[in-house]
């Protein structure tokens, strides 16, 4: 196929999979988005809305007082996805921006992986399958309706392509030679774009670069694995790392992420989004607290299918038994380190080798979780994303070496088709739920009509990726984009300790949180009239809204008694209680 036709064809093929997997999203592309109930989905929609809102109003988009009002919070350490925010600014529609960003990311991820695979894989069909595996791995399909930032991987294969074009590495030399400064500039540009997408994906590029360079720094290609000293060294390294990490724990040093590491059984466990292979035994195992620290969590996903790992295992054994020649990748100086980089990312997913919930061995990669800054990457299972890029390339190049002289072209095509059918069946997702403004409870339409600066939602809650105080309703940040009232609470990836103290320091919100959390406790003393007036002056509440689950509970009675002397009107709207001040 001519080069000028290749890109449109690839974009069409990989884009078609997105349309099919998310249907009927394409029929409502600007009025709905793929979402599951939960704070993460609301957060990412809020990101796009807030970025556009801040820029159009002339405010700093990296700071907000729409949450944690009146103090506000920086968004620098938040999973903000400003790339989608820019699209929202350009398109003028948050839902259209989100859907466009996701479509482009999945499509370009597949296209880039195809082009990367073609460096060592001769068969266009196998390369096409390699692109599909990276773009639509179960990890990414499960994340699609919840963690938009983690599926923005379009830059990854293109970065690897430019990285290989940019540098020449020499064994034993720390600094590489720059082959193309244009490619170096391309790597920097792609790194910046990735920074605007997600820091996990950005660290994927960083870790790839370091692991690739380490192959040459430490002359890993010269290790003679058929001789016992190599294995003795490996055992020694594993023993030392295991003991060292145990000593660090005994010394009271806290890691940030080993607890989140994967279990080896998770590689065999399909996610619940799989339409055809999520069987009953998988559901029982996924929710077993004896196996997983977070039963049923999306963070446990390490599944990459059965066919591809089994193929890699068989081809590896064949190579060790000298039953197949070296692959085109293994014969290429630039391609040779990819198998090592693949192993490196596999090790990252299980920093503490865990089998059915039992930790057997602390691996050297666990040391990263004690290193400041690097230990902010606290969910090691997310590195399965890079396995989805490298495993197909390594495996399919080896497959072509194995079938050389054994299978005719027709047999090769048939085997490729069978492999593709199995992988497609393993990856095929269930229908995704969608969200739109039509799903926002009617009470927030009423709030939007009211004067005032803030909305006080019941229940109250502040949370981030490490801590939670109280409880925040899953859709609260999504609802804010309709009622446009600021909130004294919120959910960001990182929240400062001062903001967590916010509820405890407020004379009005503190007793509400206490009653919400412990409804059977003795009713707290109400704030004084002066404290309540100060609260009204500071927050200028448009309304208090009580969720149906808290209606007719002690917190409802307390609020009614507290606000009634000030003329607040109570109204039931779609199961929600709306408490609004008297009209001015």
């Amino acid at each position: 196929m001519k080069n000028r036709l290749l890109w449109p064809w690839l974009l069409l093929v990989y884009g078609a999979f997105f349309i099919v997997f998310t249907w009927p999203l394409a029929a409502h592309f600007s009025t709905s988005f793929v979402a599951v109930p939960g704070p993460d989905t609301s957060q990412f929609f809020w990101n796009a809305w807030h970025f556009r809102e801040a820029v159009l109003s002339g405010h700093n988009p990296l700071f907000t007082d729409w949450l944690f009002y009146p103090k506000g919070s920086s968004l620098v350490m938040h999973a903000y996805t400003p790339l989608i925010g820019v699209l929202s600014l350009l398109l003028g529609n948050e839902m259209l921006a989100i859907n466009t960003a996701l479509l482009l990311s999945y499509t370009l991820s597949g296209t880039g992986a195809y082009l990367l695979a073609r460096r060592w894989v001769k068969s266009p069909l196998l390369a096409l399958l390699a692109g599909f595996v990276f773009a639509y791995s179960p990890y990414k399909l499960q994340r699609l309706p919840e963690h938009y930032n983690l599926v923005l991987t379009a830059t990854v294969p293109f970065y690897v392509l430019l990285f290989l074009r940019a540098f020449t590495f020499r064994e034993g030399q720390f600094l590489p030679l720059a082959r193309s400064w244009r490619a170096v500039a391309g790597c920097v540009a792609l790194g910046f774009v990735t920074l605007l997408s997600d820091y996990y994906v950005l660290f994927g590029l960083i870790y790839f670069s370091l692991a690739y360079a380490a192959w040459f720094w430490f002359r890993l290609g010269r290790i003679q694995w058929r001789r016992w000293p190599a294995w003795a060294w490996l055992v020694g390294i594993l023993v030392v790392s295991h003991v060292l990490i145990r000593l660090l724990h005994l010394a009271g040093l806290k890691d940030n992420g080993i607890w989140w590491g994967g279990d080896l059984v998770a590689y065999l466990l399909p996610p619940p989004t799989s339409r055809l292979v999520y069987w009953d035994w998988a559901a029982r195992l996924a929710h077993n607290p004896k196996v997983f620290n977070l039963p049923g969590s999306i963070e446990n996903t390490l599944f990459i299918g059965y066919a591809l790992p089994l193929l890699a295992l068989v081809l590896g054994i064949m190579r060790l038994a000298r039953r197949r020649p070296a692959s085109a990748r293994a014969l290429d100086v630039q391609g040779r380190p990819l198998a090592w980089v693949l192993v490196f990312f596999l090790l990252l997913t299980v920093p503490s080798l865990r089998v059915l919930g039992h930790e057997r061995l602390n691996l050297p990669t666990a040391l990263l979780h004690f290193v400041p800054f690097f230990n902010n990457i606290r969910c090691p299972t997310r590195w399965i994303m890079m396995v989805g890029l490298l495993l197909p390339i390594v495996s399919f190049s080896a497959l072509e070496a194995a079938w050389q002289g054994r299978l005719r072209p027709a047999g090769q095509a048939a085997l490729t088709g069978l492999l593709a059918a199995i992988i497609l069946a393993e990856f095929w997702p269930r229908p995704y739920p969608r969200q739109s403004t039509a799903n926002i409870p009617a009470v927030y339409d009423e709030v939007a009509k009211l004067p005032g600066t803030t909305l006080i939602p019941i229940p109250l809650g502040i949370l981030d990726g490490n801590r939670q105080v109280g409880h925040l309703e899953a859709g609260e940040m999504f609802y804010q984009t309709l009622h446009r009232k600021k909130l004294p609470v919120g959910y960001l990836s990182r929240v400062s300790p001062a903001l967590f103290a916010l509820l405890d320091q407020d004379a009005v919100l503190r007793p509400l949180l206490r009653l919400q959390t412990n409804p059977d406790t003795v009713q707290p003393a109400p704030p004084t009239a002066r404290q309540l007036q100060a609260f009204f002056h500071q927050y200028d509440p448009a309304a208090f809204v009580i969720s149906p689950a808290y209606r007719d509970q002690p917190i409802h009675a307390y609020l009614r008694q507290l606000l009634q002397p000030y003329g607040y009107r109570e109204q039931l709207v779609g199961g929600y209680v709306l408490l609004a001040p008297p009209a001015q």
Side-chain angles (χ1 to χ4, degrees):
M1 182 177 296
K2 294 182 179 180
N3 287 336
R4 67 174 180 271
L5 297 177
L6 178 61
W7 270 73
W9 183 79
L10 291 172
L11 294 173
L12 180 63
V13 169
Y14 291 119
F17 278 112
F18 183 85
I19 292 172
V20 171
F21 286 168
T22 60
W23 185 261
L25 178 65
H28 310 277
F29 209 64
S30 62
T31 57
S32 69
F33 59 104
V34 172
V36 294
D40 285 339
T41 305
S42 294
Q43 180 191 74
F44 286 107
F45 184 88
W46 182 90
N47 288 347
W49 171 81
H50 179 268
F51 187 94
R52 180 167 172 261
E53 177 73 26
V55 172
L56 292 180
S57 61
H59 292 93
N60 178 9
L62 294 177
F63 182 87
T64 186
D65 67 351
W66 285 91
L67 304 176
F68 310 111
Y69 184 85
K71 189 171 184 178
S73 174
S74 169
L75 298 173
V76 172
M77 294 301 293
H78 173 52
Y80 193 30
T81 54
L83 193 66
I84 299 181
V86 172
L87 272 178
S88 175
L89 186 64
L90 295 175
L91 298 176
N93 182 319
E94 290 83 14
M95 294 185 190
L96 181 59
I98 288 171
N99 293 331
T100 300
L102 294 175
L103 172 62
L104 288 174
S105 180
Y106 277 89
T107 302
L108 289 172
S109 293
T111 300
Y114 171 92
L115 297 174
L116 180 62
R118 285 287 280 165
R119 286 195 55 150
W120 304 285
V121 178
K122 294 180 181 180
S123 168
L125 292 178
L126 280 178
L128 197 66
L129 183 56
F132 173 81
V133 170
F134 175 63
Y136 294 100
S137 67
Y139 163 83
K140 289 184 63 183
L141 289 175
Q142 188 182 14
R143 302 280 178 177
L144 172 57
E146 190 166 355
H147 291 155
Y148 301 149
N149 58 325
L150 296 175
V151 302
L152 298 180
T153 59
T155 57
V156 175
F158 292 103
Y159 174 89
V160 175
L161 279 166
L162 287 177
F163 183 83
L164 297 178
R165 190 180 304 167
F167 302 108
T168 296
F169 288 88
R170 299 163 293 171
E171 287 190 346
Q173 299 294 315
F174 183 77
L175 293 177
L177 296 175
R179 297 172 57 200
S180 168
W181 287 108
R182 186 176 180 181
V184 172
C187 288
V188 173
L190 288 175
F192 178 73
V193 172
T194 308
L195 177 63
L196 300 180
S197 304
D198 180 66
Y199 64 91
Y200 268 92
V201 183
L202 178 63
F203 266 80
L205 305 185
I206 294 172
Y207 283 168
F208 173 88
S209 305
L210 293 175
Y212 187 92
W215 172 271
F216 297 94
W217 293 342
F218 303 115
R219 296 184 173 93
L220 300 181
R222 293 183 178 271
I223 297 176
Q224 300 294 323
W225 292 108
R226 296 181 184 276
R227 299 181 180 179
W228 70 265
W231 293 98
W233 272 100
L234 178 61
V235 170
I237 291 172
L238 293 176
V239 169
V240 170
S241 67
H242 178 75
V243 173
L244 177 59
I245 290 166
R246 288 289 300 273
L247 291 175
L248 291 174
H249 280 138
L250 291 174
L253 294 179
K254 292 185 178 181
D255 67 82
N256 187 24
I258 293 180
W259 185 86
W260 292 81
D263 192 299
L264 288 184
V265 73
Y267 278 99
L268 304 175
L269 192 65
T273 47
S274 294
R275 184 194 292 253
L276 301 176
V277 296
Y278 186 65
W279 297 292
D280 290 341
W281 68 264
R284 291 194 299 271
L285 185 59
H287 291 84
N288 189 338
K290 295 181 180 179
V291 176
F292 295 106
N293 292 332
L294 288 173
S297 171
I298 195 173
E299 300 297 351
N300 297 327
T301 300
L302 288 175
F303 187 69
I304 197 71
Y306 299 114
L308 192 55
L310 182 60
L311 176 67
L313 179 63
V314 171
L315 291 170
I317 293 174
M318 289 178 64
R319 180 57 183 161
L320 290 174
R322 303 184 187 274
R323 297 293 301 275
R324 69 168 176 85
S327 65
R329 178 204 57 80
L331 295 173
D332 178 18
V333 174
Q334 286 196 312
R336 201 171 296 146
L338 293 188
W340 146 249
V341 179
L342 169 61
V343 171
F344 174 74
F345 277 106
L346 285 169
L347 295 177
L348 284 178
T349 64
V350 282
S352 181
L353 200 62
R354 190 178 295 144
V355 184
L356 290 173
H358 300 284
E359 295 185 354
R360 304 298 184 187
L361 181 68
N362 293 314
L363 298 177
T365 51
L367 291 170
L368 283 170
H369 296 284
F370 293 92
V371 180
F373 182 72
F374 284 92
N375 64 8
N376 281 307
I377 309 299
R378 63 184 177 88
C379 296
T381 53
R382 295 178 180 181
W383 297 124
I384 196 66
M385 167 195 70
M386 296 299 294
V387 175
L389 175 65
L390 300 171
L391 182 60
I393 294 174
V394 173
S395 300
F396 294 161
S397 181
L399 177 61
E400 288 187 328
W403 73 25
Q404 185 177 1
R406 288 187 172 95
L407 286 179
R408 294 180 179 180
Q412 296 172 10
L415 181 57
T416 301
L418 176 62
L419 184 62
I422 295 173
I423 290 176
L424 186 61
E426 292 173 336
F427 287 17
W428 197 281
R430 297 176 186 270
Y432 289 109
R434 290 181 293 115
Q435 181 70 282
S436 70
T437 53
N439 302 123
I440 297 179
V443 67
Y444 296 102
D445 281 308
E446 298 301 317
V447 172
K449 301 172 186 176
L450 298 174
T453 303
T454 66
L455 167 67
I456 312 301
I458 304 298
L460 297 160
I462 294 177
L463 66 154
D464 68 1
N466 296 313
R467 185 182 174 192
Q468 178 172 343
V469 171
H471 175 69
L472 186 70
E473 290 279 294
E476 208 62 67
M477 292 170 69
F478 177 45
Y479 306 154
Q480 185 184 51
T481 65
L482 173 65
H483 63 67
R484 299 180 61 83
K485 299 295 186 285
K486 298 183 178 183
L487 300 173
V489 292
Y491 170 37
L492 296 175
S493 298
R494 296 293 182 270
V495 175
S496 71
L499 291 177
F500 274 107
L502 184 72
L503 297 182
D504 286 331
Q505 294 172 353
D506 192 283
V508 175
L509 299 181
R510 181 177 62 247
L512 292 177
L513 178 65
R514 181 181 173 186
L515 276 174
Q516 165 193 314
T517 307
N518 299 296
D520 297 328
T521 190
V522 177
Q523 190 175 86
T528 65
R530 178 177 296 181
Q531 289 172 328
L532 199 52
Q533 288 291 351
F535 176 85
F536 289 148
H537 176 74
Q538 182 178 35
Y539 287 95
D540 183 26
F544 292 76
V545 171
I546 303 176
S547 173
Y550 293 83
R551 194 180 74 199
D552 297 328
Q553 296 297 311
I555 191 172
H556 181 187
Y558 175 87
L559 256 182
R560 179 191 290 135
Q561 182 180 1
L562 185 69
L563 299 176
Q564 200 170 39
Y566 295 87
Y568 269 72
R569 311 180 310 275
E570 182 171 325
Q571 181 182 0
L572 189 63
V573 184
Y576 287 78
V577 176
L578 174 64
L579 290 162
Q584 298 296 325

